[in-house]
Structure formats: C-alpha cells, structure tokens
Amino acid sequence: MNRQEAMRCFKSFPIYGITAEGMSAGRSNLEVVEAMLQAGIRFVQYREKEKSGLARYNECLQLRELTRKYGAAFLIDDFVDLAMAVDADGVHIGQDDLPPRAVRELLGPDKVIGWSTHGPEQLQAANGLAGVIDYIGTGPVYATQTKKTAVPVGLEYVQYARQNSVLPFVAIGGIKEHNLHLVREAGADTVCVVSEITGAENIAAKVRSLAEIMD
C-alpha cells in the first residue's frame, strides 16, 4: 500500500499493535499478530531487538504476507534495511536512530515514518519535520516493562501533544485497560498497548475491550 493508505490504516482503528514475543505467553509473533488483525487492528509494528538478522528477516516475510492479506499496514521498528528488504510499509524510529531526513532519503517518498518523542522540545522538532515524518509516538506515558530505563512523561505530555502536534500521534508506554480511559481523556485518539495484548489469554477479546474504551 502507499503512504496515504498506510496512514488511513493508522487512523482507522484506535489500537496500534506492536510485537513482543517475550511477553506473548509462549505464542509466536505470527499467532499474536493474526489475532490482532482478526480483532480489527490495522497498523502493526514489528519490534524484536534480540533476534538475529536472519530470524527477523524470515519472520517479517511471513508477517508482511499476513498483514497484506488483512489490508493492514506493516512497519519495522528501527531497522530501515530490514524494512526495505521485506517491502514493509514504513519504519518507526527513535531519537537515537538514524535521523528522519536520512531515513526518508533511504525509503523514498512513499513509505511511512514514525518518530518517538518524549517531551515538548522533541515534539516541536517533529512539527518542523512534517512531510518528512508522518506521525509521532508520545511516551512512555507510564513506566513500562518493554523499555525499563525510559522515564515516564505522564498524561501531561499526551495533553501537550493533543494541543500542539501538527502530526497524528500514538500514546505508548505502560498503558493498560485500567488506565486507558485516562489516556483517552488526555486527548489520545490512538494508543499502543503492548504486553496487555500480547499476553492476553484471548487477544481478540482484549483488543475489542480496549477499542470500546477508546470509542
């Protein structure tokens, strides 16, 4: 799909999916992602930093095929070369990764770029890159097991993003079913819930429950 279609996927459903095989109750990423897609998620990020390059490549080929089957956008966290190799719909990068303009040069004009931000200064920098990047991440909202050293930015930053971001944003970090309503009230239209989804006994039911809170 093209860049515009991928961003329509971003906006079409309030839950953004991310893989975390180590928190998936023994299930493979393929099983977990298919359950996410069956529940309505249409924007999936592959984030696996501990696997070998070859293992990531082989897994992403399967996930690329699966997301195409469901008409969902497929992004790779950090690894621009991997995204290019499997024809992903884009990448999500952090503040310490390749800079957005360099990533855009590599990917060309028709792939999505998301960029993590952790405070007002970084958000304003992202505003200046509108057109280069497509959306931002805001977080971690709360302490999170997926990034244990990250400092929580709180609901105040979600509110700041709502009022000041010129780009769509996804709130991420420590978001669970019990605090999701607070993140929604702070202004997030899209949220990423990682371990609560990947570790759920019934992933589809959990996604639907979260989506109801967002609606």
Side-chain angles (χ1 to χ4, degrees):
M1 65 178 64
N2 63 36
R3 191 174 171 188
Q4 290 73 27
E5 289 168 338
M7 284 308 296
R8 279 199 288 273
C9 288
F10 179 96
K11 297 171 184 175
S12 71
F13 195 76
I15 311 298
Y16 177 130
I18 291 188
T19 68
E21 194 165 74
M23 299 178 179
S24 295
R27 293 167 296 200
S28 71
N29 281 325
L30 207 62
E31 291 174 275
V32 169
V33 169
E34 181 147 35
M36 289 180 184
L37 295 168
Q38 287 172 345
I41 286 177
R42 288 296 174 265
F43 205 85
V44 176
Q45 181 193 131
Y46 177 82
R47 185 167 75 186
E48 298 293 341
K49 299 183 189 289
E50 307 303 320
K51 298 188 178 191
S52 72
L54 181 60
R56 282 194 294 263
Y57 173 73
N58 287 330
E59 193 167 46
C60 283
L61 285 177
Q62 292 179 291
L63 289 169
R64 169 71 288 186
E65 188 176 330
L66 181 65
T67 49
R68 279 205 176 114
K69 174 183 163 186
Y70 282 87
F74 181 54
L75 275 74
I76 307 287
D77 183 53
D78 293 355
F79 300 106
V80 180
D81 55 345
L82 177 58
M84 296 168 74
V86 302
D87 193 28
D89 297 306
V91 297
H92 187 94
I93 53 174
Q95 292 289 321
D96 296 326
D97 296 320
L98 288 174
R101 290 189 189 280
V103 175
R104 178 56 68 200
E105 285 289 320
L106 289 167
L107 292 181
D110 214 27
K111 300 292 185 182
V112 166
I113 298 175
W115 198 31
S116 294
T117 68
H118 314 294
E121 189 175 329
Q122 292 175 358
L123 185 144
Q124 293 301 337
N127 281 347
L129 289 167
V132 176
I133 60 177
D134 299 278
Y135 75 91
I136 59 169
T138 58
V141 181
Y142 303 104
T144 172
Q145 289 299 302
T146 59
K147 292 196 175 181
K148 295 179 182 178
T149 59
V151 178
V153 297
L155 293 168
E156 295 78 13
Y157 185 47
V158 178
Q159 293 168 338
Y160 181 89
R162 179 69 185 199
Q163 294 163 3
N164 295 278
S165 181
V166 302
L167 294 161
F169 70 93
V170 55
I172 184 170
I175 300 172
K176 310 285 186 188
E177 190 163 3
H178 70 85
N179 59 31
L180 179 58
H181 69 285
L182 298 173
V183 182
R184 181 74 181 98
E185 288 165 9
D189 291 328
T190 306
V191 297
C192 185
V193 180
V194 185
S195 59
E196 183 115 330
I197 290 176
T198 63
E201 185 176 345
N202 185 326
I203 289 171
K206 176 62 72 174
V207 170
R208 286 192 288 268
S209 178
L210 296 169
E212 283 176 14
I213 295 171
M214 289 297 290
D215 287 341

